[in-house]
Amino acid sequence: MTDAQQSILDGVHDLARREYIMILSDECREVLQRLFAEHSPKRVLEIGTAIGYSSSIMALSSDCVIDTVEKDCERIAKAKQLWKSLGIVDKINAYTGDSEEILPKVTDGKTYDFIFIDAGKSAYKRQLEFLLPHLEVGGITLCDDVLYLGLVKGDSYPPHKHRTIVRNMREFLAYVENHPCLEMQLYEEGNGIAVIKKIKSESK
């Protein structure tokens, strides 16, 4: 990453923080960059493009091609402007629409060695279940915000407005922990980060 590219990303980061635009946490960025340094993924899927911050980091951290999905057209437009300014627009394929509706088309005939999920928290389990056959053995799935405001750990009763997300996230983590093809490392930094590795193929 050049100094000019880093300066652009720093500006986007600061803008997002000022305007309360949801991007990955600083802690998740550190984990993401470490994983890319260790594994050098080639084929990446991202769910939750937002304004293109995380996909830009991934594109600049590895010689990879990225498929990214976002339902907000305005955010995709901003992301494309960012990718163009960074000189990485040719590395990223953007798809606009609800992830659960368009993922079958996006992933048809493809496998990935890295998946980043950072969109609707209640959909994590369904998305991973669908995507698991498209993740190569040895591939990594990174999920941000899995401890959701610190409410997910333990079995305490969450406030009503957070109850559905907390319940679904607990089910997601239990699904991963008990899946025979997956290993998970859970970081409590930030809002909770799950690094999930596919260790073997699913039984037919």
Side-chain angles (χ1 to χ4, degrees):
M1 188 184 303
T2 67
D3 290 343
Q5 289 169 328
Q6 184 64 64
S7 179
I8 291 170
L9 283 179
D10 289 345
V12 172
H13 173 277
D14 293 345
L15 175 67
R17 294 292 185 255
R18 287 196 307 270
E19 299 190 1
Y20 302 100
I21 300 170
M22 295 302 296
I23 60 173
L24 80 169
S25 65
D26 295 342
E27 294 85 356
C28 189
R29 172 178 173 162
E30 291 179 6
V31 173
L32 179 64
Q33 290 181 306
R34 183 172 72 247
L35 291 171
F36 267 64
E38 293 172 355
H39 299 281
S40 298
K42 300 299 183 184
R43 187 75 191 178
V44 177
L45 173 66
E46 176 185 53
I47 303 177
T49 313
I51 57 174
Y53 180 73
S54 51
S55 50
S56 296
I57 292 170
M58 292 189 286
L60 292 168
S61 299
S62 175
D63 182 20
C64 62
V65 175
I66 301 171
D67 290 338
T68 185
V69 176
E70 171 62 51
K71 64 181 179 181
D72 189 318
C73 296
E74 292 183 3
R75 288 185 173 184
I76 283 286
K78 291 180 179 179
K80 289 180 177 179
Q81 291 176 353
L82 174 59
W83 301 332
K84 185 176 181 180
S85 70
L86 292 168
I88 56 174
V89 69
D90 292 339
K91 298 180 67 175
I92 304 174
N93 305 307
Y95 299 88
T96 306
D98 182 88
S99 60
E100 294 189 52
E101 294 178 1
I102 68 173
L103 273 176
K105 180 180 179 180
V106 173
T107 61
D108 185 34
K110 299 177 184 176
T111 59
Y112 301 90
D113 51 1
F114 195 95
I115 296 173
F116 180 42
I117 302 177
D118 189 21
K121 310 311 170 191
S122 291
Y124 276 22
K125 180 176 180 286
R126 294 193 304 275
Q127 289 171 343
L128 184 60
E129 285 178 312
F130 173 79
L131 291 170
L132 199 53
H134 296 276
L135 180 64
E136 297 176 0
V137 174
I140 302 291
T141 299
L142 177 65
C143 301
D144 200 9
D145 302 320
V146 297
L147 297 181
Y148 191 68
L149 306 176
L151 298 172
V152 174
K153 288 193 67 178
D155 55 3
S156 60
Y157 208 55
H160 184 270
K161 65 179 180 178
H162 301 304
R163 195 167 299 161
T164 299
I165 291 178
V166 170
R167 182 183 67 247
N168 288 336
M169 196 59 73
R170 286 173 176 171
E171 291 177 357
F172 166 72
L173 293 175
Y175 166 77
V176 175
E177 289 172 350
N178 294 306
H179 199 293
C181 300
L182 301 174
E183 287 182 348
M184 178 172 65
Q185 188 167 7
L186 188 61
Y187 297 89
E188 296 190 19
E189 289 84 352
N191 210 15
I193 304 160
V195 178
I196 304 163
K197 183 176 183 179
K198 184 175 178 178
I199 57 174
K200 61 181 180 180
S201 297
E202 306 92 312
S203 58
K204 300 297 183 180

